[in-house]
Amino acid sequence: GLLLYFISSCDSGTYVIDRLAAGGMHGPPVLQRIYWVVTQGAVTSALLLAGKSNALHALETVSIAAGFPFTIIMCLLCTSLYRAVRFDTMDPDLHERTRFNTGLFDWTEGFRPVLLTKDPNSPPVVERATSLGIAFIAPYAAMHETNVRLFGTSG
């Protein structure tokens, strides 16, 4: 069962990597796919051999370490998704402004970016910092708020 799992995971993973490396091209070159199969198999084999009795633990550790940066990126993308949904629902805060209320790197400017300090309708610093904090720590809260605004129910 474990061997079948590794083979099917390797096949699908290789297909995704191959398509990404080919720039999304349908039917990328066969030699390129072979390269990715051999490379992925070599890395997996090296981890299994290096891990000896703890081989599966080594594979788990590597996959978690490799996936952690992607997890942070996904959390940041939740903010973008929330803003896109707000834009699609014709939220006046977004449609009346020429840029987002809170940018990802506003903390580097003390939540007082130069472009917004000249705008008299600019939200206060505390609101900007709170908005970024909530979007980063609990993006689902903002999505729930949007869901209630769209469908008029919280249950």
Side-chain angles (χ1 to χ4, degrees), residues 38-55:
V38 170
T39 303
Q40 191 174 18
V43 169
T44 305
S45 298
L47 288 171
L48 286 171
L49 291 174
K52 296 189 180 166
S53 62
N54 295 325

Side-chain angles (χ1 to χ4, degrees), residues 43-118:
V43 169
T44 305
S45 298
L47 288 171
L48 286 171
L49 291 174
K52 296 189 180 166
S53 62
N54 295 325
L56 291 178
H57 182 69
L59 282 174
E60 274 181 10
T61 304
V62 167
S63 56
I64 290 171
F68 182 70
F70 184 69
T71 302
I72 292 173
I73 291 169
M74 290 299 294
C75 288
L76 297 175
L77 286 174
C78 287
T79 304
S80 298
L81 176 63
Y82 170 63
R83 292 172 192 266
V85 169
R86 283 181 59 195
F87 185 84
D88 287 345
T89 59
M90 302 300 286
D91 188 341
D93 286 344
L94 291 179
H95 281 276
E96 294 170 5
R97 296 192 185 276
T98 57
R99 66 174 266 179
F100 288 132
N101 292 343
T102 305
L104 183 60
F105 294 104
D106 282 353
W107 60 272
T108 61
E109 299 174 310
F111 291 98
R112 290 188 177 92
V114 176
L115 290 174
L116 280 184
T117 53
K118 297 175 184 174

